[in-house]
Amino acid sequence: MLRYRLGRESDPFYWLYNSPGWLTDYDPPRQFPFWLNIELTNRCQLDCFFCSRQTSRRPLGDMSLETARLIVTEASRYPECGLRLTGWGEPLLHPQAGEIITMIKKAGLPLKIYTNGLALTPELMDTMIEYEVDDLQFSMQGLTPEQYEFNRRKSDYGRLRANIEMASRRRGERPRPFLSILTSVLADEAAKADPEAFIDEYLTLVDKVAVDLTNLNFVSEVDRVKPFLDKQSAGLSRGLCVDVFLALEVKYDGLIQFCGQDADGLEEHSLGYVGAISLHEAWHSRKMNEQRDRVGRALGHETMSVCRNCYHNTNKYDIFKTRA
Ligand SMILES: C[S@@+](CC[C@H](N)C(=O)[O-])C[C@H]1O[C@@H](n2cnc3c(N)ncnc32)[C@H](O)[C@@H]1O
Ligand code: SF4
């Protein structure tokens, strides 16, 4: 479920979603990934109920400026490559977040930032305005303050709302950063509140609001989650994976992986380290191509631990139609 304030054409990536080869042109795979998903840090100030971070055993750390520079330098050689700051942590907690954002935009790369919004300061917002970050996406869960605070533990709905208002006010009528909100819901949350009313409310502040489904499959072994598993939203009837043709993931320590859902940085999903191999080599490596055959051209999801629980590219049942 998705709506725009000024129509679909206003989306900073509209040109891509409507280009002739989008989601069809896989043989051979594109020269370089369209998206590089970059984990600036795996530190986070929240303890979200649904997040795979709570099961991750990796040490905490931040990406070095040198690793960021290597990624940006290589990516800027390829047209149509965009960076998404995301991963299993809060990107704006990186101590040099502003410097890295500036570096990416000075290199001319499209940039989308996923954030829980709590560490966004007026100064950081002004940097994003000055360097025209393409898309700043605030992540939420639930459709009401109560649902949000249930899911996003240690957060404060009032503080997030104030920061979204601050971002909207400072950006004003400029086109960039395009401001988005993505919330996701469990089935009973969608039944108890009105997704359309949520979208109406937030479209007064941002340019795009999407309501998706929360997936608890990755955290099904966590004790506090177990009682809620029957209320989860994302089903598991699978479709072919498109991400293996579109994106690569880089963890904060430079580990390149073919899927970002792996919060543990496991060897079976890994392709090497930035600096030791190029992103181009990783993208065209035998391991990456084998993964494309396994889940992009066939439904071999059960054979890979990260793909078994995936909710992207599934045929999700439409919980929004069952709203009371
Ligand atoms: C893991 S977060 C990292 C970036 C940042 N800390 C944030 O919260 O946006 C990236 C996105 O993944 C979403 N996400 C994480 N786990 C999810 C799940 N189990 N189901 C649905 N969305 C999930 C979050 O809501 C967020 O929009
Ligand atoms: S979803 Fe984002 S904000 Fe929440 S715990 Fe995970 S990384 Fe942190």
Side-chain angles (χ1 to χ4, degrees):
M1 194 180 258
L2 163 69
R3 264 200 278 141
Y4 290 92
R5 187 169 65 93
L6 297 174
R8 289 184 316 138
E9 292 82 355
S10 65
D11 192 298
F13 300 102
Y14 177 80
W15 59 273
L16 178 82
Y17 305 142
N18 289 280
S19 70
W22 177 248
L23 300 190
T24 55
D25 197 6
Y26 294 157
D27 282 311
R30 54 190 301 135
Q31 195 193 12
F32 198 70
F34 177 72
W35 288 118
L36 290 173
N37 297 325
I38 309 295
E39 182 187 70
L40 286 192
T41 179
N42 65 342
R43 292 184 297 113
C44 190
Q45 70 282 63
L46 301 190
D47 175 28
C48 294
F49 179 69
F50 53 87
C51 182
S52 299
R53 205 180 158 270
Q54 64 192 304
T55 64
S56 171
R57 289 174 293 273
R58 282 184 297 148
L60 298 178
D62 299 326
M63 182 170 278
S64 70
L65 281 182
E66 184 49 25
T67 299
R69 201 167 287 119
L70 285 170
I71 295 167
V72 170
T73 303
E74 184 177 353
S76 60
R77 288 192 215 118
Y78 297 93
E80 293 191 353
C81 173
L83 266 57
R84 290 194 290 210
L85 301 186
T86 176
W88 299 110
E90 169 48 40
L92 301 188
L93 288 187
H94 190 290
Q96 286 128 342
E99 206 174 316
I100 294 175
I101 289 166
T102 306
M103 182 201 301
I104 295 168
K105 286 309 301 173
K106 279 187 171 169
L109 291 161
L111 173 61
K112 174 168 180 165
I113 301 173
Y114 290 63
T115 179
N116 63 32
L118 299 170
L120 183 67
T121 59
E123 294 71 31
L124 205 43
M125 189 61 211
D126 288 349
T127 300
M128 293 187 202
I129 292 168
E130 182 180 350
Y131 289 97
E132 301 186 345
V133 166
D134 299 78
D135 193 347
L136 175 61
Q137 180 177 281
F138 296 94
S139 303
M140 296 174 77
Q141 259 69 34
L143 299 168
T144 64
E146 296 72 28
Q147 290 180 0
Y148 172 82
E149 287 182 1
F150 168 81
N151 284 289
R152 294 216 150 222
R153 310 245 164 133
K154 301 190 185 167
S155 191
D156 172 344
Y157 182 85
R159 261 179 62 204
L160 172 63
R161 169 95 197 189
N163 277 355
I164 296 174
E165 287 172 358
M166 178 273 287
S168 178
R169 202 171 45 246
R170 289 184 106 79
R171 197 246 1 220
E173 289 309 309
R174 299 178 188 89
R176 296 287 179 269
F178 188 81
L179 298 175
S180 335
I181 289 177
L182 170 62
T183 192
S184 79
V185 290
L186 298 171
D188 71 330
E189 292 170 341
K192 286 182 190 149
D194 183 355
E196 296 288 357
F198 177 89
I199 294 175
D200 286 340
E201 179 187 345
Y202 274 102
L203 274 186
T204 60
L205 291 172
V206 301
D207 305 304
K208 172 182 173 182
V209 182
V211 184
D212 202 348
L213 305 174
T214 303
N215 175 33
L216 299 180
N217 298 329
F218 283 111
V219 288
S220 60
E221 297 304 317
V222 176
D223 281 345
R224 67 179 181 177
V225 172
K226 284 180 185 160
F228 295 87
L229 288 176
D230 60 334
K231 293 179 181 168
Q232 72 173 306
S233 309
L236 273 178
S237 57
R238 299 199 171 96
L240 297 176
C241 178
V242 297
D243 292 356
V244 284
F245 297 102
L246 296 176
L248 271 185
E249 175 90 5
V250 187
K251 298 280 194 262
Y252 77 85
D253 57 358
L255 181 66
I256 307 166
Q257 295 198 292
F258 54 66
C259 181
Q261 289 296 325
D262 174 7
D264 272 325
L266 299 176
E267 167 57 31
E268 65 173 309
H269 311 125
S270 302
L271 303 167
Y273 281 88
V274 169
I277 60 166
S278 69
L279 294 160
H280 184 269
E281 282 170 324
W283 183 243
H284 293 284
S285 64
R286 199 177 62 173
K287 196 166 177 183
M288 185 78 208
N289 282 324
E290 284 170 357
Q291 180 65 1
R292 290 186 179 113
D293 286 342
R294 201 179 288 123
V295 296
R297 299 188 179 99
L299 293 175
H301 295 58
E302 279 300 329
T303 59
M304 299 301 282
S305 63
V306 76
C307 309
R308 210 168 289 144
N309 293 316
C310 185
Y311 65 119
H312 296 307
N313 319 311
T314 60
N315 299 317
K316 299 165 184 171
Y317 50 85
D318 190 352
I319 59 165
F320 303 115
K321 287 196 182 124
T322 64
R323 200 171 70 79

